[in-house]
Amino acid sequence: MRSVAVAGASGYAGGELLRLLLGHPELEVGAVCAASQAGSLLGAVHPHLMPLAERRLEAADPALLARHDVVALALPHGASAPLAAQLPDHVVVVDCGADFRLEDPAAWEAFYDTPHAGAWAYGLPELPLEAGSGRGRDALAGATRVAVPGCYPTATTLALAPGFAAGLLEPDDVVVVAASGTSGAGKGLKPHLLGAEVMGGMSPYGVGGVHRHTPEIEQNLSRVAGAAVTVSFTPTLAPMPRGILATCTARAVPSATADEVRAAWESCYAAEEFVHVLAPGRWPRTADVLGSNQVQVQVALDERTRRVVAVAAIDNLTKGTAGAAVQAINLALGLPEGLGLPTVGVAP
C-alpha cells in the first residue's frame, strides 16, 4: 500500500479525492490537511466520508507531507507552487489546481495574478498527440510531478480532440459553450451561489474570452492539431451540484463527410476505458456520469453550416478533478490506469 496525503482535504475536490482513495486497493489515505479548517474532525466537514469521520484535519506542513509516497494538492490557484517547492523530488506530487498546467508564461500571466511556476506533466491520459505521436499518458508513467487538467478543459478537449487529430477541423473558429454545476466554484461561501440565487435559472460568467480555462483549452487542442487553435469559450452556471455539459463546434474542412467524422471519434476512443462515444441518436447527459470517471461524447456534422458539433458530459469532481488525479497517480506508480476508479454512475 502506498500512502497518499491530501492537502486541501476540506474542499469539494479534496473530499472527492478521499472518497476515491477509500475504494482504492493499492492506496491508503495518509494525512488529511487543510488551512482554515485545521483542527476540525473530517466528519464535521465531509459527513459522507464515514470511515474517516474521526480523522482530524492538520495543517499542511511540508515535513508531514514529505513522509508520504504521494501528495495530492487540492488547493486554490496560486497556493500549490510554494508548497510543492518544499517537497522532495522522489515524492509523487499531483496538483489539482492550475499552477502547473500552462506551458507558456505569457498565457499564464495574461490570465493569472501570480508568477508562472513552470509546467508539469499534463494529466490527461486520453489526449491524442499530434501526428499519431502517442497519448498524454506517455508522459505520466513514472512522473513525480503531474498537473491535473481543469474540469472544463477535460470536457472540451476530449469532445474535440478526435477531429483535430484526424485533420477534419479548422483551427481558427472553435466555439465552446459549457454548463457547470456549482461545485466547480469551490466550497467557499459566495452570495451568487446560494440556493435561492441558483435554483431555477442559468447564467453565464467569464464572458468575452476572460475565463482562465481558455488558454488551457487552446494549449491542448493545439498540441493535438500541430497548429495554433483559437477558442471562444463561454461558461455557464447550471442549477445542479456537479457535472459539466460542453457543447463544442468547429468548422469542418471542406472534404469532411459525416461518416468520416463519426469514424474519427469512434476510432480515437475505441481503446479508452473512460471515454465513450455514444450510439447515433443518443446525446450525453450529466446525470449519466454522476459519480463516475466516465466521459460521454457524441458528435454530428451540421451539413448546412459545415460545422462539427461535439458534446461531452463529465462529472466535474470525478473525471474533471479527483478521478483524473487518481488516474495520474496510478500511471506514475506503475499501477493499472483504471484501478480504483468507478466506471458506472449513480441514478436516479
Side-chain angles (χ1 to χ4, degrees), residues 17-316:
L17 186 53
L18 292 172
R19 180 180 77 88
L20 297 178
L21 291 173
L22 283 170
H24 199 292
E26 296 290 339
L27 302 175
E28 62 181 1
V29 176
V32 288
C33 301
S36 61
Q37 296 282 355
S40 302
L41 291 177
L42 190 67
V45 179
H46 293 304
H48 64 297
L49 300 177
M50 287 301 296
L52 300 174
E54 298 305 314
R55 297 282 293 274
R56 196 167 293 280
L57 289 161
E58 304 178 70
D61 175 42
L64 170 65
L65 299 176
R67 295 201 292 267
H68 296 76
D69 299 297
V70 180
V71 174
L73 305 175
L75 302 172
H77 301 324
S80 296
L83 183 56
Q86 302 177 69
L87 298 175
D89 292 343
H90 69 273
V91 174
V92 175
V93 184
V94 177
D95 181 24
C96 295
D99 290 21
F100 301 99
R101 293 173 185 162
L102 296 183
E103 298 172 355
D104 182 2
W108 173 270
E109 290 162 8
F111 284 83
Y112 294 88
D113 54 4
T114 58
H116 185 240
W120 288 355
Y122 191 71
L124 188 57
E126 300 90 352
L127 182 68
L129 303 179
E130 178 191 0
S133 58
R135 299 266 173 160
R137 61 175 52 86
D138 299 338
L140 300 176
T144 59
R145 297 292 186 271
V146 177
V148 175
C151 49
Y152 280 129
T154 296
T156 56
T157 299
L158 294 176
L160 288 169
F164 285 109
L168 296 174
L169 302 179
E170 301 284 3
D172 57 351
D173 185 15
V174 179
V175 178
V176 175
V177 178
S180 174
T182 56
S183 61
K187 204 172 183 179
L189 297 178
K190 304 175 182 70
H192 72 286
L193 297 179
L194 293 172
E197 301 292 334
V198 174
M199 289 187 297
M202 289 186 64
S203 58
Y205 65 101
V207 180
V210 299
H211 193 278
R212 288 175 167 180
H213 284 171
T214 301
E216 186 181 347
I217 297 168
E218 293 184 336
Q219 173 180 278
N220 291 352
L221 296 178
S222 298
R223 288 185 68 192
V224 180
V229 175
T230 55
V231 177
S232 172
F233 173 52
T234 303
T236 64
L237 184 65
M240 57 187 184
R242 53 203 287 170
I244 285 177
L245 187 72
T247 302
C248 315
T249 75
R251 284 190 297 121
V253 298
S255 61
T257 67
D259 288 343
E260 286 176 328
V261 167
R262 180 156 194 90
W265 264 255
E266 289 179 341
S267 63
C268 184
Y269 294 133
E272 293 295 344
E273 182 177 3
F274 296 116
V275 187
H276 300 280
V277 180
L278 299 180
R282 284 189 58 208
W283 289 89
R285 305 188 312 167
T286 56
D288 298 332
V289 296
L290 183 66
S292 82
N293 203 54
Q294 298 290 345
V295 185
Q296 289 192 354
V297 179
Q298 185 58 279
V299 65
L301 174 62
D302 183 336
E303 298 279 10
R304 186 179 65 85
T305 64
R306 296 298 300 167
R307 294 189 73 85
V308 169
V309 182
V311 179
I314 66 169
D315 185 320
N316 61 295

